[in-house]
Amino acid sequence: MTLTSGESVIIIVIIAVTTLLLRAVPFILFPANRNTPEFVTYLGSVLPFAIIGMLIIYCLKNTGVASFPYGLPEFIAIAAVAAIHLWKRNTLMSIGAGTVIYMIMVQFVFV
């Protein structure tokens, strides 16, 4: 199924309006001249950790520990991410390095 140029424009406009609304709604619901509700502040403090935990579980859900390579690439990558983050305190660097280390492990070491 191919889209006509008119359909493509409609899709782009819908995506743009949706993005604009998603970015504007927090400012509309919680203007600067009013205090932010306590539950929103609470969610802002706990959700980042919950989301990271969910991402870790999602990434490790299909890791096989009963057969070769016994989850070693994943364990090595996680250890590298933790060590680099504790050393440099740079999230982007630690996640990037962990990804590179994991890919090297699965492509060249544990083949």
Side-chain angles (χ1 to χ4, degrees):
M1 176 177 154
T2 58
L3 298 175
T4 65
S5 60
E7 291 171 332
S8 296
V9 168
I10 291 170
I11 291 171
I12 291 170
V13 168
I14 291 171
I15 291 170
V17 169
T18 303
T19 301
L20 178 69
L21 287 175
L22 286 173
R23 305 255 174 156
V25 164
F27 296 103
I28 295 168
L29 292 177
F30 310 114
N33 59 355
R34 288 189 4 214
N35 290 337
T36 306
E38 276 189 47
F39 75 94
V40 174
T41 304
Y42 171 74
L43 289 176
S45 66
V46 297
L47 277 182
F49 302 107
I51 291 169
I52 293 297
M54 286 175 41
L55 286 173
I56 291 170
I57 290 169
Y58 177 78
C59 290
L60 297 176
K61 71 179 176 161
N62 292 328
T63 301
V65 293
S67 61
F68 184 80
Y70 308 107
L72 286 175
E74 291 84 356
F75 176 75
I76 292 168
I78 290 170
V81 168
I84 293 169
H85 188 72
L86 289 173
W87 175 42
K88 289 291 187 176
R89 301 273 187 221
N90 186 326
T91 305
L92 185 61
M93 179 190 294
S94 59
I95 292 173
T99 302
V100 169
I101 290 168
Y102 174 75
M103 293 310 293
I104 289 171
M105 293 287 136
V106 296
Q107 297 292 323
F108 301 111
V109 179
F110 297 102
V111 182

